[in-house]
Each structure stands twice: as C-alpha cells, then as structure tokens.
Amino acid sequence: NAGVTQTPKFRILKIGQSMTLQCAQDMNHNYMYWYRQDPGMGLKLIYYSVGAGITDKGEVPNGYNVSRSTTEDFPLRLELAAPSQTSVYFCASRVTGVSHEQYFGPGTRLTVT
Amino acid sequence: AQSVTQLDSHVSVSEGTPVLLRCNYSSSYSPSLFWYVQHPNKGLQLLLKYTSAATLVKGINGFEAEFKKSETSFHLTKPSAHMSDAAEYFCVVIGTSYDKVIFGPGTSLSVIP
C-alpha cells in the first residue's frame, strides 16, 4: 500500500491564482481530512469528509473548497490564493470506527507571494 | 468543547536522560487522546493512543503515556532519550461524539549529545 499520497510536494503561487492540492489514499478509509500547519503551530482542520459525497467544514475553511467524489480522492481547492494561505498542508485518512488513528500524507508546502 | 494544552513549547534533554512532555486536555466527553511525532520535513506518525482501555499506554520507540482523569493530563515519557527522538510532538484530543480532531500547539524536543 502507498498509504496517503499528496501532490505536489512544493508550490509557489501568485496572489489571486488558483490551484488544487491532490490527496489520495489506497487503504479504503472512509474518513479523510485536510489540515494546515503554520510555523510553530499545531495543525488546524480545514475540511473533512466521512465518506464519498459528504464533506464538512473544520476550524479554518474560509478560502478553501473540497469535493469527495470517490473514496480514494479528496482534493483541496484554493480559488483566490492569498499570502495568509502560505502554509504546509497535510492530508490524512482513517478507518471508520473507534480507533480514530489517522494516517498522514507527507505534506504540500505552499507559498503565496 | 474539546481543547488541548501543551505546557512546554520546547524541551531540551541530554542523550540518555529521561524525557517528559506535558499535555493537559479539556473535554466534555470521555476523550480519545493521542501523541503524534513529526520529524523535520516529514508527515506525522502515531506514537501511541488512549481510548478508554488501560490508563498506562505504551507506544513505539520506548515512549509511554499515562492518562490521569483527575488531573486531565496525558503526559508523554521515555526513560532514556536518543538522538533520533529529536522532533516535534503533538498531543491530540478527540471527543467520542465528535469527528473533528484538536491538535495541541506542539512541543519541540531537542536531544543534546
């Protein structure tokens, strides 16, 4: 199993540009999450999904959109990039049940200038 | 609402000496508690988890944590630090009726040779 994969690893955007961060998992997990990590901070939840076709907002959803058309994929869309969105983005997934253990991807480092 | 506090933003220990990373939580429900480790420029890896079974939880790489309900604490310990333990450590809380995940701000552990 590849686990949770994220692309790209690095990206530089200009203010106002758009992009999609890709996330895929091959563990057949129903739950998937997007987090951002700012320097010296913990992770903040952006959006999450409990299954294909179902998404919900986390703590910091403004400026982002998600979709979940398949169990495997959970892309994160930035429509109008702003410097405040400079961060490292992590995708995670977990199996349904009481374990709650999340498996993390390697992250995408995004800079908006 | 759930919250988590990590009392030290940075801890420095000598190789071979004990490690103590402190975590206090607040939860309206019986919480699930986790410790994750993040090595530089890497994703997060689960160290250990508490999900209402034994209060003393053993994890990978010699780490363990004790759940103390009366003190609302879940401190992470290791008897003898190794250079490879230098990393960022995150305490995480999840309420049993809550799909969202709350990360602490992290504690950076340095190990001095």
Side-chain angles (χ1 to χ4, degrees), chain A residues 31 37 57 90 99 101-102, chain B residues 36 38 46 49 100-101:
Chain A
Y31 286 71
Q37 183 181 29
K57 296 177 181 178
F90 289 100
S99 169
E101 176 182 352
Q102 296 191 15
Chain B
Y36 280 85
Q38 184 182 28
L46 181 68
K49 61 184 177 184
K100 298 178 185 177
V101 180

Side-chain angles (χ1 to χ4, degrees), chain B residues 90-110:
Chain B
F90 294 97
C91 183
V92 180
V93 64
I94 308 170
T96 53
S97 66
Y98 197 51
D99 281 323
K100 298 178 185 177
V101 180
I102 305 297
F103 279 74
T107 297
S108 176
L109 176 65
S110 298

Side-chain angles (χ1 to χ4, degrees), chain A residues 31 33 35 37 40-43 45 48 50 56-59 90 94 98-102 104-106 109, chain B residues 32 34 36 38 41-46 49 51 88 90 94-96 98-106:
Chain A
Y31 286 71
Y33 304 81
Y35 296 92
Q37 183 181 29
M41 307 289 285
L43 277 67
L45 182 66
Y48 70 104
V50 300
D56 205 352
K57 296 177 181 178
E59 299 175 74
F90 289 100
R94 72 169 178 91
V98 299
S99 169
H100 289 284
E101 176 182 352
Q102 296 191 15
F104 284 82
R109 187 174 296 274
Chain B
S32 294
F34 301 76
Y36 280 85
Q38 184 182 28
N41 299 313
K42 301 286 189 185
L44 280 75
Q45 180 185 19
L46 181 68
K49 61 184 177 184
T51 53
E88 191 84 15
F90 294 97
I94 308 170
T96 53
Y98 197 51
D99 281 323
K100 298 178 185 177
V101 180
I102 305 297
F103 279 74

